Amino acid sequence: MEFTEWIRGRTDEQLRALVSARPELITPVPAHLEGLASRAASPSAIGRVLDRLDRFTLAVVETLAVRDEPIAKDALHDLIGRALGSGDPTHPRAAGGGEPGDPEPALSAALDRLRDLALVYGPDDALELGPGVRKVLDDPAGLGPRAAEAFRHHAPEQLDEMADDIAPGTAGSGKERLAAALAEPAALVASVSPEARGALDQLVWGPPTGRVPNARREVRIESARSPIEELLARGLLAATGEESVTLPREVGLFLRGGRVHRDLLAVPPPLHGATRDPSLADRTAAGQAFSFVRAVEELCERWSVEPPGVLRTGGLGVRDLKRAAGELDLPEWVTALVVEVAHAAGLVAAGGGVDGEWLPTSGYDLWRVRSTADRWTALAATWLHMDRVPGLVGERDDRDRPLNALHTDLRRSSAPGVRAATLGVLAAAPGLAPDRDSVLERLAWEQPRRRGPLREQLVDFTLREAEQVGVTGLGALSGHGRALVEGGGAAEMLAPLLPEPVDHVLLQADLTAVAPGPLTSELNRWMTLTADVESKGGATVYRFSESSIRRALDAGHGGEELVAMLARHSATPVPQALSYLVTDVARRHGRIRVGTASAYIRCDDPALLDQITADRRSAALRLRRLAPTVIASRSSRAALVDSLRAMGYAPVAESLDGDVIISQLESRRTEGVAPARAVASPNGLDPEVAVAAVRALRAGDAAHLARREPVDAPGGQVPRGPATATISALQEAIKQGVRVWIGYLDSQGNATSRILEPARMEGGYLTAYDETRAAVHRFALHRITGVAGL
């Protein structure tokens, strides 16, 4: 059966399964099913879909690729069964039932999947690989090329000499005689020395190539002096270059004893690790999820007031990352994760001027007012699907330059797929915290073509970041983490596990406040402004000081307001020492005012200014008394305020109009890019898109099959009829949504025919899809000669 006709014979449901599993086939949507079949056979499309196959399914493809002709399912069953019988005898080999060692259930499931992916087609008695698959699989199952291909670069004279040596008296060309002899290589293999046989054994299970000196040198059997020369002279090795040789496929299959694969498992290898109590794992993950949400919130709040700058090369500076880590009380790699997820979620972006600063976005304000469970779901989904790799922060690139957080070089296109695959492995073992090696072994079985150092590194990053984000707890996938992977219900499962935020603190006589639990967002922001965090843990301890009270006063709060807020949010009476501290700082706050002279000092109490000018520490400020209540300085206003505060005074800055400047600026925002929306399909294709694509493919294929070449008048016949009948027929076609065949006069007056799917008719023009030219066009109604049905 021809591949295109097989594609055309698939049902709509099967075609939807095909384009959902291979979305690259409809990007863009082909004009017809023949185009879909052609695109499915392209090397890039085949390479992508092969990368998604598990080890057993890929082995079925490789077994089919070894044969040049179609094969019956029974014969394929025998070949696969030999490989399964050579594996671990204690491991179950049947998937979905069947006796151990029986590949029938797993083989049937693999063939069904390969048909759904259009990699295999045809009936069970004549299974065939899709076109182009053999070309993509250069060395299927570690086997080299066939003899005819392996010796294609040899001179005909050399092939004749080799054939005379190993197959004397046979007829045909040297290449044909050599290929025939290698098809049954038992005698040739038996004639070589043990050393030469050992060299063959090293190439049997792949890779089938090796490097030897002077591989191109012509050698006869009687003149062979080394094991390699023995093999070259007998054609058991083929020279493919000056120093490279390959093992012909026929020889490799013989040495493998008829098996295509050495050992094969029909089901994935088991996972090993520590068993966890699911409820304990869920609670642990929920606590970490809450901490991660609070870390993102605290980062955005701090950056809204003191935003770090954007490096000239892009990204966040090393010092700024260290400072953020200290403020959040987190390790640097966790801080980098918090920063990267906040950026990928659209909560942080570059803005703020020419040089640029990292600022929270307006989307952060919308995110902040949502419930904690919804906020975590947004962050965790962003982490799962983002192509940025926070774990690379601090490493060096190919040019030995450090990789900074928020730098564009942190993008890796394979990162989302590795995260999804790793969490999929954890989801397959509920209540188990699998160790790293078993996870890597399982992934190597599930995606054998996707291997390498970067992949292992991404798996390590995923396992530790999942724990930090709150997707896993104690190494096991949590219930809300499973819901996140499966695409829904994560917030509902997480919400009952989260701690209830409290709206009060416990004020103590030593000028500290203890938060007995996680505070509400507003109270947490107010406490962070008014006091300094002294310690974190099960209960957060805040310490009030003169500088922290002054910070709140600088932000525009009054002394009485601060005392009232403390009384309202404290479960204990406000200690007298704290009340005195607030009152004393508020009383002194603002008595001295600093303006611009470069800067000046103004005070209604001349004695206080006398004290300042007499202080030896003020000499560096180069003060000058302008009036009993005014002192001018050449220092800047900011420097003057800082210096006076260092001397023990409590000045405030004032504007040119004499108004107090609130030094704690309002939170700043910038515009950010919204995060990408996750779609329902695990392959990134919306199910509605698949339905529409199949509908379009069917319509385009019907038009392609019914397409007729334009007929030129007057030699040919085109539809003709009265204008009123033509208009009525077109209106009916638009109403019924059917195709019509029209006669049309071009700009030179030549009559042609078109197959159209009319859409609308207005202003003397018909808008229709021209299937003859596969495009939408407008046709002048007065040029349409007639309409005929199809």
Side-chain angles (χ1 to χ4, degrees):
M1 179 184 295
E2 202 263 340
F3 182 67
T4 301
E5 290 303 319
W6 181 82
I7 287 285
R8 189 170 282 127
R10 306 293 279 172
T11 65
D12 287 356
E13 183 179 358
Q14 290 170 333
L15 287 179
R16 286 194 293 270
L18 171 62
V19 299
S20 296
R22 301 176 65 180
E24 63 273 6
L25 299 185
I26 56 170
T27 310
V29 179
H32 38 66
L33 290 176
E34 185 176 332
L36 179 71
S38 175
R39 192 173 296 175
S42 65
S44 60
I46 293 174
R48 286 186 179 185
V49 70
L50 289 177
D51 288 345
R52 304 182 189 127
L53 300 183
D54 60 61
R55 186 69 192 93
F56 181 77
T57 308
L58 181 62
V60 174
V61 175
E62 292 174 332
T63 304
L64 290 170
V66 169
R67 302 175 62 94
D68 292 331
E69 66 281 349
I71 182 175
K73 182 180 178 182
D74 292 340
L76 182 63
H77 177 279
D78 293 339
L79 291 173
I80 294 294
R82 295 176 190 175
L84 288 174
S86 63
D88 180 5
T90 65
H91 194 283
R93 290 176 175 79
E99 296 296 328
D102 178 18
E104 171 58 32
L107 178 60
S108 297
L111 288 176
D112 289 341
R113 185 185 179 197
L114 292 173
R115 284 191 176 105
D116 289 341
L117 296 173
L119 289 175
V120 171
Y121 70 101
D124 284 349
D125 58 352
L127 296 171
E128 178 62 283
L129 278 181
V133 177
R134 286 185 176 86
K135 293 182 179 179
V136 175
L137 291 172
D138 293 331
D139 299 324
L143 290 168
R146 294 196 174 277
E149 178 71 14
F151 290 98
R152 71 183 187 278
H153 297 304
H154 287 61
E157 297 80 6
Q158 184 180 3
L159 295 177
D160 290 338
E161 292 178 354
M162 293 176 64
D164 291 340
D165 284 347
I166 65 176
T170 56
S173 66
K175 180 183 290 188
E176 294 172 348
R177 295 160 61 198
L178 183 61
L182 292 178
E184 298 291 340
L188 294 173
V189 173
S191 66
V192 300
S193 64
E195 292 80 5
R197 178 58 189 267
L200 283 179
D201 291 340
Q202 294 181 11
L203 303 177
V204 170
W205 295 106
T209 58
R211 298 184 64 84
V212 296
N214 299 321
R216 285 289 193 183
R217 187 168 63 88
E218 296 185 17
V219 182
R220 304 297 293 269
I221 293 179
E222 62 273 9
S223 61
R225 296 292 182 267
S226 67
I228 298 300
E229 289 183 353
E230 291 183 49
L231 300 176
L232 290 172
R234 290 169 173 79
L236 297 177
L237 285 182
T240 56
E242 294 298 331
E243 295 185 351
S244 59
V245 295
T246 188
L247 184 69
R249 181 173 300 178
E250 295 88 342
V251 180
L253 286 173
F254 170 77
L255 295 174
R256 293 184 182 189
R259 286 180 289 157
V260 178
H261 298 86
R262 177 163 47 184
D263 51 20
L264 194 59
L265 296 178
V267 294
L271 294 171
H272 304 284
T275 303
R276 304 296 188 193
D277 179 14
S279 61
L280 178 59
D282 289 349
R283 293 195 301 271
T284 303
Q288 194 58 51
F290 183 86
S291 299
F292 189 77
V293 171
R294 277 299 169 91
V296 172
E297 182 179 4
E298 185 176 351
L299 176 81
C300 293
E301 289 295 332
R302 291 183 180 277
W303 282 11
S304 66
V305 176
E306 298 181 18
V310 178
L311 297 177
R312 288 182 299 174
T313 57
L316 180 71
V318 175
R319 292 183 179 178
D320 292 322
L321 180 63
K322 289 181 179 293
R323 186 181 68 175
E327 292 172 344
L328 299 180
D329 194 21
L330 294 173
E332 286 190 30
W333 74 267
V334 179
T335 305
L337 174 64
V338 170
V339 170
E340 287 289 344
V341 172
H343 176 255
L347 307 182
V348 171
V354 177
D355 295 331
E357 295 172 321
W358 293 109
L359 289 164
T361 66
S362 54
Y364 165 68
D365 297 309
L366 300 176
W367 173 84
R368 189 181 62 188
V369 299
R370 298 166 64 183
S371 67
T372 303
D374 289 335
R375 285 189 287 170
W376 177 84
T377 302
L379 295 176
T382 298
W383 168 77
L384 181 61
H385 297 102
M386 71 181 186
D387 62 353
R388 301 185 62 81
V389 183
L392 294 176
V393 173
E395 297 189 4
R396 309 190 78 84
D397 60 11
D398 297 337
R399 301 180 182 179
D400 199 36
R401 296 176 303 183
L403 292 172
N404 297 89
L406 301 178
H407 198 278
T408 55
D409 289 345
L410 294 182
R411 295 184 181 276
R412 299 293 185 274
S413 59
S414 60
V418 174
R419 291 194 193 99
T422 304
L423 295 182
V425 170
L426 300 183
L432 183 70
D435 56 61
R436 172 185 178 273
D437 292 339
S438 64
V439 171
L440 291 175
E441 185 181 1
R442 173 67 70 89
L443 289 175
W445 186 91
E446 292 183 348
Q447 298 175 339
R449 285 170 56 92
R450 295 180 176 179
R451 305 182 72 173
L454 176 60
R455 184 171 179 82
E456 293 189 6
Q457 191 178 31
L458 291 176
V459 172
D460 292 338
F461 291 156
T462 300
L463 292 175
R464 74 172 186 176
E465 289 172 5
E467 192 79 14
Q468 198 65 39
V469 173
V471 175
T472 60
L474 302 176
L477 188 67
S478 63
H480 51 273
R482 182 183 300 274
L484 177 74
V485 174
E486 295 174 353
E492 291 77 5
M493 297 193 67
L494 175 63
L497 302 174
L498 292 174
E500 287 293 334
V502 297
D503 59 354
H504 64 276
V505 295
L506 305 176
L507 296 178
Q508 302 185 105
D510 60 349
L511 300 181
T512 60
V514 178
L519 300 177
T520 61
S521 294
E522 291 302 322
L523 181 57
N524 181 61
R525 296 175 67 193
W526 189 82
M527 286 298 299
T528 304
L529 174 67
T530 312
D532 298 316
V533 177
E534 190 169 81
S535 65
K536 292 183 178 181
T540 304
V541 178
Y542 298 87
R543 176 165 295 280
F544 296 95
S545 63
E546 184 175 340
S547 61
S548 68
I549 298 297
R550 185 185 302 121
R551 185 169 63 232
L553 295 173
D554 288 342
H557 296 284
E560 295 181 359
E561 179 186 358
L562 293 180
V563 175
M565 283 287 291
L566 291 172
R568 183 161 59 250
H569 290 289
S570 176
T572 58
V574 179
Q576 190 176 45
L578 179 58
S579 178
Y580 283 169
L581 175 65
V582 174
T583 303
D584 181 61
V585 174
R587 177 180 55 80
R588 294 184 290 110
H589 187 265
R591 290 182 62 190
I592 298 177
R593 303 199 172 193
V594 175
T596 301
S598 265
Y600 64 85
I601 304 173
R602 180 173 67 86
C603 182
D604 294 335
D605 185 359
L608 187 55
L609 294 185
D610 293 339
Q611 182 179 343
I612 293 175
T613 54
D615 195 322
R616 289 182 297 177
R617 293 174 294 176
S618 67
L621 300 177
R622 305 178 70 178
L623 303 177
R624 180 182 179 185
R625 192 74 169 263
L626 299 181
T629 58
V630 180
I631 298 178
S633 173
R634 295 186 182 182
S635 301
S636 65
R637 180 171 56 193
L640 193 55
V641 170
D642 293 340
S643 299
L644 290 176
R645 286 180 174 174
M647 295 165 59
Y649 301 99
V652 294
E654 73 175 12
S655 65
L656 295 176
D657 298 327
D659 297 326
V660 176
I661 298 176
I662 297 177
S663 59
Q664 190 78 12
L665 299 177
E666 291 295 326
S667 298
R668 299 168 59 190
R669 296 290 184 265
T670 187
E671 295 298 325
V673 180
R677 180 179 68 90
V679 295
S681 172
N683 290 314
L685 183 67
D686 194 306
E688 296 181 359
V689 175
V691 173
V694 171
R695 187 184 299 119
L697 283 168
R698 288 293 190 195
D701 196 59
H704 177 68
L705 294 176
R707 183 175 300 170
R708 304 179 184 179
E709 293 296 329
V711 182
D712 295 331
Q717 295 181 357
V718 297
R720 294 184 180 277
T724 54
T726 298
I727 298 298
S728 299
L730 291 174
Q731 290 175 339
E732 184 66 20
I734 294 173
K735 181 178 179 181
Q736 299 294 332
V738 297
R739 294 176 293 117
V740 295
W741 183 26
I742 70 168
Y744 194 71
L745 299 176
D746 60 20
S747 57
Q748 284 76 35
N750 299 319
T752 60
S753 64
R754 309 285 182 89
I755 298 175
L756 306 180
E757 186 175 338
R760 65 177 181 273
M761 190 165 47
E762 59 185 2
Y765 286 90
L766 170 69
T767 302
Y769 176 73
D770 186 354
E771 295 181 353
T772 308
R773 291 166 173 77
V776 177
H777 286 295
R778 297 182 69 199
F779 301 90
L781 291 176
H782 67 276
R783 290 186 175 181
I784 299 177
T785 62
V787 178
L790 289 176

